Amino acid sequence: MFQPILRFKGYYAKIINYLLIVYFRKVVGDKKFCIISNDCWGAEIYKVLNRPFNTPFIGLMLMSPCYIKLLENPVYYIKLPLVFKASSNYLSMQKINAGISFPLASLGDSDIEIHFLHFKSKEIANEKWNRRVKRIDWNNLLVKYDCGKDLADKESIEKFLNLPYPNKLIFGKENFGKTEIWVLNKYSLDALVQFRNCFLNFSPIGWIKDEKGYQNKLQKYIGKNAYKYL
């Protein structure tokens, strides 16, 4: 009795997902962009738009102190070689690594750590990081910061807001007294879930064209469907 209904719901979800992807790709068109992100949230935009990864910030994360320091001089730090290490400077990440083993590296002799959460080996992490570093489009950077986790605080938020990037995006669980921060109705520590959650408050895809906020009811309706079906 319920099987045909469930099958119909499955087909419906696939159709809506397909239509959303077609719509978002049309909206963005051939707009050039390169996303820098403190976790793998940005990778979801590349997947939706079927764009090649022209950024090394895929399948990994950085703690807030490391991320902000990197953003203050990205050209210098990103070009430093990865130096793989056995343990993290952060106790919380060390505990995670103990349960789910993943490669960990510093950028050169700096204290900036890259946690390659979704890589099986340091060889794979090193190869993909270096390959994607060469693809970075420095003229079309989009910089995103989730300030609801990973030791984010008022100081790191203030530093981020003062960084000289023309198109920045910051969101989290609270606004820390800053109007620039998008406070999410739903919040998740999982970057993939978080990507969909964001559509309830703004358009991650519209961000590419510097059109984050919804302008009308139709855009909000599309956002609600993106939250459900992407």
Side-chain angles (χ1 to χ4, degrees):
M1 177 178 178
F2 295 106
Q3 194 170 10
I5 297 175
L6 293 175
R7 189 180 297 118
F8 171 77
K9 287 184 176 179
Y11 289 147
Y12 178 79
K14 289 180 180 179
I15 292 170
I16 298 301
N17 176 275
Y18 172 78
L19 292 175
L20 286 168
I21 289 174
V22 170
Y23 171 75
F24 287 136
R25 290 178 183 177
K26 183 176 181 180
V27 167
V28 174
D30 59 359
K31 175 76 174 181
K32 295 181 179 179
F33 64 88
C34 178
I35 298 174
I36 295 180
S37 174
N38 57 319
D39 56 24
C40 49
W41 180 94
E44 298 307 295
I45 292 182
Y46 285 91
K47 293 174 184 177
V48 169
L49 299 178
N50 194 30
R51 295 288 189 94
F53 294 143
N54 64 345
T55 175
F57 296 91
I58 304 293
L60 52 82
M61 62 81 63
L62 294 86
M63 298 295 282
S64 282
C66 292
Y67 186 58
I68 299 302
K69 184 173 182 178
L70 182 149
L71 291 177
E72 290 173 339
N73 195 352
V75 175
Y76 170 74
Y77 285 118
I78 289 176
K79 290 184 178 180
L80 293 176
L82 293 176
V83 178
F84 289 91
K85 50 196 285 190
S87 60
S88 172
N89 296 329
Y90 300 96
L91 180 59
S92 59
M93 292 309 300
Q94 191 59 32
K95 289 180 178 179
I96 293 174
N97 197 309
I100 307 173
S101 182
F102 54 84
L104 165 66
S106 293
L107 294 178
D109 59 357
S110 76
D111 58 355
I112 297 176
E113 291 185 350
I114 310 291
H115 304 265
F116 293 94
L117 296 179
H118 301 292
F119 291 84
K120 294 182 178 180
S121 70
K122 60 184 180 182
E123 289 79 16
I124 295 175
N126 188 64
E127 189 275 327
K128 290 195 174 182
W129 171 271
N130 289 319
R131 172 154 49 91
R132 291 165 180 168
V133 163
K134 294 177 183 178
R135 299 175 181 170
I136 295 176
D137 182 354
W138 293 104
N139 295 318
N140 292 285
L141 292 182
L142 302 179
V143 183
K144 163 264 175 188
Y145 181 33
D146 182 338
C147 67
K149 59 181 182 178
D150 305 328
L151 300 183
D153 56 19
K154 289 184 178 181
E155 182 180 358
S156 63
I157 290 168
E158 195 68 44
K159 288 182 178 180
F160 180 81
L161 293 175
N162 288 326
L163 290 170
Y165 297 99
N167 196 343
K168 295 180 292 188
L169 171 64
I170 180 170
F171 56 78
K173 294 182 287 186
E174 57 180 306
N175 66 10
F176 290 88
K178 301 293 183 180
T179 58
E180 298 91 338
I181 298 175
W182 292 86
V183 179
L184 302 185
N185 294 349
K186 292 180 179 291
Y187 188 88
S188 174
L189 294 176
D190 185 323
L192 276 64
V193 175
Q194 190 82 303
F195 174 71
R196 295 194 301 274
N197 289 348
C198 287
F199 281 96
L200 293 175
N201 295 89
F202 63 89
S203 174
I205 304 298
W207 171 49
I208 293 172
K209 302 185 73 173
D210 203 17
E211 298 171 357
K212 298 183 284 289
Y214 295 130
Q215 303 300 312
N216 51 55
K217 291 183 179 179
L218 176 59
Q219 290 182 358
K220 287 183 179 180
Y221 177 75
I222 292 172
K224 288 180 179 180
N225 279 279
Y227 162 71
K228 291 181 181 180
Y229 298 111
L230 275 185

